[in-house]
Amino acid sequence: LKSSNTGAQIGGGAGMAAFGPIGAIAGSIIGGIVGGIMKKTKWGRVDVSGVSGDFNTRGNSGKSEAAATEAGGSIVDALKKIANDLGGVAGEFASIAVGVRDGKWRVNTTGTSLKTSKGAKDFGEDQSAAIAYAVQQAIKKGAIDGINASVMNLLTASGDFETQLNKASELSSIFAEIAASADPMGAE
């Protein structure tokens, strides 16, 4: 239950003036609750749906919106790097919402609200975990094309994304070595 110190102070003062010490206590409690209800949760999110860098940013806190926009840029950069490293191409995918709500990093793969009741996954203060999760989900939604199916299977497998990415890179290198040994002139 949210409460407001300012609301409690105002309610306590009004209660004291009208009903004495007992009114001050009741007024403080009621004022704190009413003030808490009126308090807005600060949030900012970016909807990422491709690597063009054109984000739909929204929120009610400039600081949270700026953090979300920076995270969106990190997601796009990571997707481009992974695609380039694995010989693929990064492109468009179904929207993913990433941002900060009430000081906590969240990702919603449906591209909607940052509320956990609406499907957002909460990462607490761990921005890098939220970004890694968003990158993996974007890959699952088709953000990278043109890579070997086995490599893609590793990238989209459950578990720690960094571990899966390392395995995918190793497998991609093995495929590149096999291709080079099968066609030494074509691999140059």
Side-chain angles (χ1 to χ4, degrees), residues 41-44 61 63-64 67 99-106 114 122-127:
T41 299
K42 292 186 178 183
W43 64 280
S61 162
K63 184 178 176 182
S64 295
V100 181
R101 179 174 171 81
D102 205 17
K104 296 175 184 160
W105 281 95
R106 296 187 178 173
L114 291 179
D122 191 327
F123 292 89
E125 295 181 11
D126 195 348
Q127 177 185 14

Side-chain angles (χ1 to χ4, degrees), residues 12-153:
M16 178 71 158
F19 303 106
I22 295 177
I25 294 169
S28 178
I29 292 169
I30 293 170
I33 292 171
V34 170
I37 290 171
M38 299 173 89
K39 196 186 261 187
K40 288 191 176 200
T41 299
K42 292 186 178 183
W43 64 280
R45 86 170 206 230
V46 63
D47 298 328
V48 183
S49 60
V51 295
S52 67
D54 295 330
F55 304 130
N56 181 15
T57 306
R58 58 182 92 182
N60 66 2
S61 162
K63 184 178 176 182
S64 295
E65 288 180 59
T69 300
E70 183 180 322
S74 295
I75 292 165
V76 167
D77 292 345
L79 289 169
K80 286 179 178 178
K81 182 176 181 347
I82 292 167
N84 185 56
D85 290 352
L86 299 177
V89 177
E92 306 302 309
F93 52 93
S95 185
I96 295 175
V98 180
V100 181
R101 179 174 171 81
D102 205 17
K104 296 175 184 160
W105 281 95
R106 296 187 178 173
V107 177
N108 191 327
T109 58
T110 64
T112 59
S113 173
L114 291 179
K115 294 179 181 177
T116 54
S117 63
K118 301 226 176 173
K121 184 169 179 171
D122 191 327
F123 292 89
E125 295 181 11
D126 195 348
Q127 177 185 14
S128 58
I131 291 170
Y133 177 76
V135 168
Q136 187 177 34
Q137 296 305 306
I139 292 170
K140 286 181 178 181
K141 290 179 167 231
I144 297 178
D145 196 26
I147 62 174
N148 179 288
S150 298
V151 173
M152 181 60 79
N153 287 341

